Amino acid sequence: MRFLGVTETCDLGALYLRLQDEGHQVKIAISEPGARGTLAGLIEQVEDWRGALDWIRAAGPEGVILFESVSEGFGALQDALRADGFQVIGGSGFGDRLENDRAFAQALLAQHGFPQGHIHAFSDAADADAFIDTHPNRYVLKFSGPHFSSSDNYIGQLPDGRDVQSMLRRRRGMTGRFILMDFIEGIEMGIGAYFDGMHFIQPACLDWEHKRFFAGDMGELTGEMGTVATFDRSALFFERTLGRIESLLRKHNHIGYINLNTIVNAQGIWPLEFTCRFGYPGFAVLTPLQQTPWGALFRMMLRHGPPAFATESGFSVGVLLTTPPFPYTRKQVDEPIGLPVLFEGELDGEDRRNLHIGEAGLKDGELVTSGLYGWTMVVTGCGSTIEDSRQAAYSRVQRVHIPNMRYRLDIGERLVAGDLRRLEQMGYI
């Protein structure tokens, strides 16, 4: 097959390398100039993805365009390319709106039986400030749109909302949509699955993300620092969540991965946000659990079948290895690229299945850091239990050596300490 990756910063580097290792032809177009060192010397890059459309079209049913982003207009562009006869995997205009317009997504979910009344939508910071004056409470502040990062959001700590008001006052005059969400105690858990334009391909996965920069859930909100995932025992939670919106995705011809992050407690399932694309590092954490190769899985998504793919039982624990300026960008903090990425000892097949290159490429034959963020690598470990998977992941991490490398040491600890048992007791898995 032929794959053309359309990307801004090349978050799916390890996926493109997997496809190439499977024998497929892969080209990528990276639009952000500061990210073009990623995968340099590893995957062929093209200046403009539009110039490679004839290459894809010539492959007929074996030609595929992969979109990474939900940037404004990308979903509609995918819809238009499909209408023009191209095979496109990534998302849709509808998927972009689900992810980028939080109030729209929450209203739609409320129509499909999810809890409502805990979301308050605004477009003016002063209005939200006045709302908290009359409705003091602990709130979570979340911004809509692809131009906001995770670090722009804020999880309130004070029961009267004064800290959220302080954050809002810093943004007076700001334009754009945002929501205040009543703070809900519970366990954060995601559900994700691949959608082929008609149906979800089973099984779905369950995931538990770790978004704070430091161990103990302290520090900045990042895109992600590590994840625990499994395909086991996901059917019930899927039917209560993503399964409810299958007809909507079919109506809008969404083709790609979709994830719904939630808070669960004894009162119910409270949706937080959608990811309507291949999330990073989520795709990497799932890779070693997927027996079906990526190319075969993509073919299933484009052919509308078969309805299920092969997976491994057990858990995958993914640990994100970062380098400065993460969690900021090189547009904000001037940090060098080109740090060497080294491995201790010989890498066997299992090691290679569990090392997922992020922002790195070749320079003078040596693997070095690159890109805008410092998303350098994801290291995974798998096992029948979370503890076994943690041990495998962290043993592998100790063999990776990058100057100034940082990572969290506690991925999965809270699940092991009791959260997984509580989810079982509440009947969610």
Side-chain angles (χ1 to χ4, degrees):
M1 299 177 73
R2 288 182 180 177
F3 291 92
L4 174 62
V6 180
T7 171
E8 294 169 307
T9 54
C10 197
D11 295 339
L12 303 185
L15 194 156
Y16 300 130
L17 290 170
R18 292 288 196 278
L19 288 171
Q20 186 167 264
D21 288 344
E22 291 171 19
H24 304 291
Q25 295 176 276
V26 184
K27 296 182 180 182
I28 55 174
I30 303 173
S31 62
E32 169 56 54
R36 289 176 183 161
T38 298
L39 296 190
L42 297 170
I43 299 286
E44 181 180 351
Q45 295 191 24
V46 297
E47 190 70 25
D48 186 341
W49 63 269
R50 295 168 184 84
L53 288 181
D54 287 343
W55 179 73
I56 289 293
R57 197 186 289 276
E62 297 295 290
V64 182
I65 308 173
L66 287 176
F67 273 82
E68 292 187 14
S69 177
V70 291
S71 292
E72 189 170 348
F74 267 36
L77 177 58
Q78 292 177 68
D79 294 338
L81 286 167
R82 291 187 184 109
D84 195 28
F86 289 99
Q87 298 186 120
V88 183
I89 295 175
S92 63
F94 178 70
D96 282 9
R97 191 175 183 193
L98 281 181
E99 179 164 348
N100 291 328
D101 189 338
R102 296 180 185 276
F104 167 78
Q106 292 286 345
L108 185 149
L109 289 169
Q111 295 172 14
H112 287 75
F114 286 87
Q116 53 185 307
H118 61 294
I119 302 294
H120 318 280
F122 299 92
S123 58
D124 183 270
D127 290 343
D129 188 0
F131 173 84
I132 297 175
D133 277 338
T134 56
H135 301 84
N137 196 2
R138 184 178 178 185
Y139 292 105
V140 178
L141 171 64
K142 290 193 172 187
F143 293 92
S144 292
H147 307 298
F148 291 102
S149 67
S150 298
S151 59
D152 290 309
N153 300 326
Y154 177 72
I155 300 175
Q157 302 298 311
L158 298 179
D160 59 2
R162 282 184 296 119
D163 54 340
V164 175
Q165 286 180 303
S166 295
M167 298 298 288
L168 287 168
R169 288 165 187 164
R170 294 174 59 242
R171 292 180 174 269
R172 284 192 181 273
M174 168 195 74
T175 59
R177 304 178 309 279
F178 62 94
I179 62 171
L180 295 178
M181 179 183 297
D182 296 350
F183 180 83
I184 298 168
E185 291 283 358
I187 299 172
E188 187 170 344
M189 179 168 72
I191 178 80
Y194 301 106
F195 195 78
D196 69 4
M198 297 292 292
H199 307 95
F200 282 105
I201 304 174
Q202 298 298 326
C205 74
L206 301 173
D207 65 73
W208 295 269
E209 299 177 341
H210 300 64
K211 294 183 177 179
R212 294 285 186 181
F213 192 23
F214 299 115
D217 282 333
M218 298 181 66
E220 297 95 327
L221 279 170
T222 72
E224 183 64 37
M225 289 302 296
T227 300
V228 179
T230 182
F231 286 105
D232 295 345
R233 299 190 292 169
S234 63
L236 176 61
F237 199 70
F238 169 81
E239 290 301 327
R240 297 180 65 179
T241 52
L242 287 181
R244 297 183 184 182
I245 64 166
E246 183 172 85
S247 61
L248 287 173
L249 296 171
R250 182 185 306 121
K251 177 181 177 182
H252 294 278
N253 196 31
H254 183 93
I255 302 177
Y257 182 76
I258 185 166
N259 181 281
L260 177 63
N261 200 29
T262 71
I263 292 286
V264 300
N265 56 26
Q267 287 69 50
I269 300 170
W270 305 81
L272 298 180
E273 58 200 3
F274 280 103
T275 300
C276 300
R277 54 189 160 80
F278 293 96
Y280 181 84
F283 85 92
V285 180
L286 294 178
T287 295
L289 292 176
Q290 296 177 177
Q291 292 180 3
T292 300
W294 278 109
L297 179 57
F298 288 150
R299 184 176 279 112
M300 291 167 60
M301 294 170 68
L302 295 168
R303 305 292 185 269
H304 307 306
F309 66 105
T311 61
E312 301 281 355
S313 61
F315 295 87
S316 175
V317 169
V319 181
L320 180 66
L321 309 186
T322 75
T323 52
F326 187 89
Y328 303 100
T329 76
R330 287 187 169 86
K331 294 181 178 181
Q332 298 167 296
V333 180
D334 186 19
E335 286 285 343
I337 58 173
L339 302 176
V341 180
L342 304 172
F343 304 98
E344 183 178 329
E346 292 295 322
L347 299 179
D348 60 23
E350 189 63 17
D351 290 328
R352 295 183 185 280
R353 287 182 66 239
N354 286 278
L355 295 173
H356 314 273
I357 292 174
E359 289 185 318
L362 293 181
K363 183 177 182 181
D364 299 326
E366 182 180 46
L367 190 64
V368 298
T369 62
S370 66
L372 287 184
Y373 301 101
W375 294 87
T376 305
M377 180 179 295
V378 179
V379 177
T380 51
C382 299
S384 59
T385 67
I386 297 174
E387 195 53 60
D388 288 344
S389 304
R390 278 175 41 80
Q391 182 176 347
Y394 282 110
S395 294
R396 200 164 278 123
V397 166
Q398 292 172 10
R399 297 173 55 199
V400 181
H401 299 278
I402 310 168
N404 302 325
M405 181 175 78
R406 303 84 52 85
Y407 56 92
R408 279 181 57 163
L409 292 170
D410 63 341
I411 306 301
E413 281 188 353
R414 184 176 295 177
L415 281 168
V416 173
D419 276 2
L420 189 66
R421 184 175 63 254
R422 284 191 285 274
L423 288 168
E424 293 169 342
Q425 292 170 344
M426 289 188 289
Y428 289 116
I429 58 175

